């Protein structure tokens, strides 16, 4: 090989080496920039909702946004939250989570579309080393209990069912309310259920009725069906039941307030005696219905408490602190908030 060719090869190799070094430096700088963004004074929280078309979830989100503003003043740091709507589509929600991770968010607050899909989501967040706080829609225990920096905030669904049953039990025992209209000593009811297979729907359904039967009340289920937590489908279903069963319906048990309000919508045109209607969540429209005497009672699902616990968890996790120092945790991963019964007798405490 001639001297000129050797010299050309050496220069080419040197140029390639320099290019590789420059590329590595740029990648390193980009990585450092992302780290600085994550470790800086601004805390970035990604909030993924199963749908924004849910009164209770909307209430949680509004409380969270308000508390973020209050915390910014209290802590003297910026907290940016980005809220996305999964539109009840798990694929869409996973894509939204991918974008949060690509953009270097500090923590994710996730209201799962499909509680059985948590493992797929957690594989992504573990690889990115981003903590996750699930809320309201509880993943299966195996997806939470054996992972680091993964938490759930919510209320125990069976407790909500028990309290809903207790509301009906109190009314059943109050002769002045005349719940047992046909005087047969049997409580005839219909059940508006939430999403099929959803843990809250299953447990609220089971424990509301179990509370009555455990207290010695004879019950007869006239019918039950899923209205997917929504007011419109619940109204349509209730209208059908009124056609089918009419005055035989003594109680309407609804897994949430939106469905209870849907039942009340159908009853507005009903000329016969109105059945007792109870819900769960204590949303603002439900409290108005209690005040108006249309909804007998509901069970407070603490939207403000859920928002506060999530925010405190996210701040602690993003700052590398032990969340157990910020709040009480059950089994190292769970923040359980208490339900509360609400009816006309104590409505002033919740309005």
């Amino acid at each position: 090989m001639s001297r000129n060719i050797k010299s050309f090869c050496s220069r080419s190799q040197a140029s390639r080496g320099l290019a590789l070094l420059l590329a590595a430096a740029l990648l390193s700088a980009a990585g450092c920039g992302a780290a600085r963004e994550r470790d800086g004074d601004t805390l970035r929280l990604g909030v993924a909702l199963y749908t924004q078309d849910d009164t209770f979830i909307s209430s949680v989100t509004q409380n969270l946004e308000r508390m973020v503003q209050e915390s910014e003043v209290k802590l003297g740091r910026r907290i940016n939250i980005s809220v996305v709507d999964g539109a009840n589509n798990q694929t869409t929600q996973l894509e939204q989570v991918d974008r949060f991770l690509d953009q270097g968010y500090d923590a994710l607050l996730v209201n799962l579309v499909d509680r059985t899909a948590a493992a797929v989501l957690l594989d992504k967040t573990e690889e990115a080393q981003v903590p996750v706080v699930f809320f309201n829609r509880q993943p299966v225990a195996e997806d939470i209990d054996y992972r680091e920096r993964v938490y759930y905030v919510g209320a125990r669904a069976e407790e909500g069912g028990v309290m809903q049953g207790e509301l009906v039990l109190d009314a059943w025992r109050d002769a002045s309310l005349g719940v047992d209209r046909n005087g047969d000593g049997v409580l005839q009811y219909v059940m508006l259920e939430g999403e099929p297979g959803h843990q809250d729907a299953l447990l609220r359904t089971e424990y509301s009725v179990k509370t009555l039967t455990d207290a010695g009340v004879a019950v007869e289920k006239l019918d039950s069906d899923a209205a997917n937590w929504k007011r419109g489908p619940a109204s349509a279903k209730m209208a059908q039941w009124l056609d089918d069963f009419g005055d035989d319906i003594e109680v309407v048990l609804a897994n949430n307030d939106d469905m209870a309000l849907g039942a009340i919508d159908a009853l507005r045109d009903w000329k016969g005696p109105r059945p007792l209607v109870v819900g769960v969540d204590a949303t603002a429209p439900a409290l108005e219905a209690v005040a108006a005497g249309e909804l007998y009672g509901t069970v407070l699902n603490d939207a403000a408490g859920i928002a506060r616990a999530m925010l405190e968890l996210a701040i602690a996790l993003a700052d590398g602190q032990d969340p157990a120092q910020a709040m009480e945790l059950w089994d190292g991963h769970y923040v359980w908030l208490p339900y509360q019964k609400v009816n006309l007798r104590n409505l002033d405490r919740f309005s």
Side-chain angles (χ1 to χ4, degrees):
M1 184 181 292
S2 70
R3 180 176 300 171
N4 288 338
I5 293 175
K6 290 180 179 178
S7 176
F8 173 79
C9 290
S10 297
R11 287 197 301 274
S12 297
Q13 291 168 351
S15 297
R16 284 196 298 271
L18 180 60
L20 290 171
L21 286 172
L22 287 170
L26 288 170
L27 286 172
S28 176
C32 290
R36 282 196 299 273
E37 183 179 24
R38 177 168 291 180
D39 295 336
D41 290 334
T42 298
L43 176 64
R44 302 176 68 198
L45 305 178
V47 183
L49 307 179
Y50 95 96
T51 179
Q52 288 182 321
D53 185 24
D54 182 297
T55 305
F56 178 72
I57 295 303
S58 176
S59 178
V60 173
T61 305
Q62 291 168 9
N63 275 285
L64 180 62
E65 291 170 339
R66 173 179 58 80
M67 291 173 185
V68 161
Q69 295 177 352
E70 294 171 354
S71 294
E72 283 184 315
V73 175
K74 180 180 178 180
L75 300 175
R77 68 187 297 187
R78 291 194 62 185
I79 304 174
N80 291 340
I81 63 170
S82 178
V83 180
V84 293
D85 182 359
N88 213 20
N89 185 305
Q90 188 60 63
T91 300
T92 298
Q93 187 174 72
L94 289 173
E95 291 170 351
Q96 293 166 340
V97 167
D98 283 338
R99 286 195 288 274
F100 282 145
L101 298 177
D102 289 342
Q103 294 166 10
Y105 276 67
D106 296 287
L108 301 187
L109 311 178
V110 180
N111 175 224
L112 275 170
V113 173
D114 179 359
R115 65 188 293 263
T116 65
V120 177
L121 186 150
L122 290 172
D123 287 342
K124 296 172 180 289
T125 57
E126 280 189 342
E127 183 178 357
Q129 298 184 342
V130 175
V132 181
V133 179
F134 292 106
F135 66 99
N136 189 248
R137 295 164 77 92
Q138 183 183 351
V140 295
E142 290 77 7
D143 290 331
I144 293 183
D145 294 349
Y146 303 106
R147 303 209 187 222
E148 298 295 328
R149 302 207 303 167
V150 178
Y151 300 87
Y152 176 76
V153 176
R156 298 181 188 272
E158 60 271 27
E159 292 181 3
V162 168
M163 290 189 182
Q164 188 182 53
E166 289 174 347
L167 284 168
V168 176
L169 180 62
D170 290 343
W172 178 257
R173 290 172 170 171
D174 186 345
S176 68
L177 294 177
V179 177
D180 185 17
R181 290 199 302 266
N182 59 14
D184 66 352
V186 179
L187 187 154
Q188 280 85 19
Y189 73 94
V190 292
M191 176 75 72
L192 285 164
E193 300 175 3
E195 187 178 330
H198 190 292
Q199 184 175 18
D200 283 8
L202 295 171
L203 293 174
R204 289 175 186 175
T205 296
E206 176 186 357
Y207 280 86
S208 58
V209 177
K210 185 177 185 297
T211 299
L212 292 166
T213 56
D214 284 352
V217 178
V219 302
E220 178 187 357
K221 181 174 75 172
L222 299 177
D223 205 353
S224 65
D225 204 352
N228 293 297
W229 310 114
K230 296 183 181 298
R231 186 168 182 163
S235 179
K237 179 53 62 177
M238 187 66 201
Q240 182 61 54
W241 285 338
L242 288 171
D243 286 341
D244 293 342
F245 305 110
D247 294 349
D248 291 341
I249 304 172
E250 295 175 334
V251 173
V252 180
L253 290 158
N255 284 171
N256 80 336
D257 284 341
D258 276 359
M259 294 189 296
L261 293 172
I264 290 169
D265 291 339
L267 285 165
R268 289 203 171 99
D269 295 327
W270 177 244
K271 303 305 182 184
R274 295 170 64 96
L276 194 83
V277 183
V278 290
V280 177
D281 281 339
T283 62
L287 296 180
E288 291 174 3
V290 172
E294 296 177 314
L295 182 66
Y296 175 75
T298 182
V299 181
L300 175 71
N301 194 3
D302 191 356
I306 289 174
R308 184 177 298 106
M310 284 197 300
L311 183 57
E312 291 177 359
L313 266 175
I315 291 173
L317 289 165
D319 289 345
Q321 300 173 2
D322 180 4
Q325 301 301 314
M327 65 191 62
E328 185 177 4
L329 295 175
W330 279 262
D331 299 323
H333 294 273
Y334 297 88
V335 178
W336 296 117
L337 299 168
Y339 283 106
Q340 297 182 67
K341 289 181 286 187
V342 184
N343 61 14
L344 201 54
R345 296 171 186 169
N346 65 350
L347 182 62
D348 58 335
R349 291 171 43 200
F350 303 94
S351 302

